[in-house]
Amino acid sequence: MISCEQHDYVEIACMYNYLIKLSLNSGDELEGIALDVKRNVNREECVKVKVDNTDVLVVLDSVSKMEVLVDNPHFKVVIFK
C-alpha cells in the first residue's frame, strides 16, 4: 500500500492530466496521460492512464516510480516504497 503523501502526488498528476512515465516493480515502463484514481475488478487501487488512446488501469502497489514528463510547479519524480 502506498502512503497518503504518495497518493496525493498521483492525484495531482491526474488532476492536471500530466504525461507520466510509470516504472513498475516488474521492470516494465509505461508512458501515458494520468486520468484518475480508480479501483479495478479486484478492488485494488489503480491509476487510470491513457496509453495510445486506450485507458489502462495500473495497480498502484505495482509501481516503483512515477515521473512527470512535462515541466510543472508541483513535482518531477515520486519513488514508491
Side-chain angles (χ1 to χ4, degrees), residues 19-77:
L19 177 62
I20 60 172
K21 178 168 72 171
L22 299 175
S23 299
L24 307 180
N25 295 330
S26 66
D28 292 335
E29 293 184 336
L30 182 75
E31 285 188 23
I33 304 294
L35 299 175
D36 202 359
V37 176
K38 297 268 186 186
R39 292 200 179 264
N40 64 14
V41 294
N42 296 325
R43 305 287 302 147
E44 297 168 300
E45 194 165 35
C46 302
V47 60
K48 182 177 170 184
V49 181
K50 183 172 288 298
V51 179
D52 299 328
N53 292 322
T54 302
D55 292 349
V56 177
L57 290 178
V58 179
V59 177
L60 288 174
D61 284 341
S62 72
V63 177
S64 60
K65 180 171 78 171
M66 178 175 68
E67 181 178 356
V68 178
L69 301 178
V70 295
D71 287 335
N72 72 87
H74 304 287
F75 68 100
K76 180 70 176 163
V77 175

Side-chain angles (χ1 to χ4, degrees), residues 7-25:
H7 194 276
D8 289 345
Y9 287 115
V10 174
E11 288 182 344
I12 289 168
C14 293
M15 183 170 53
Y16 292 102
N17 296 126
Y18 286 151
L19 177 62
I20 60 172
K21 178 168 72 171
L22 299 175
S23 299
L24 307 180
N25 295 330

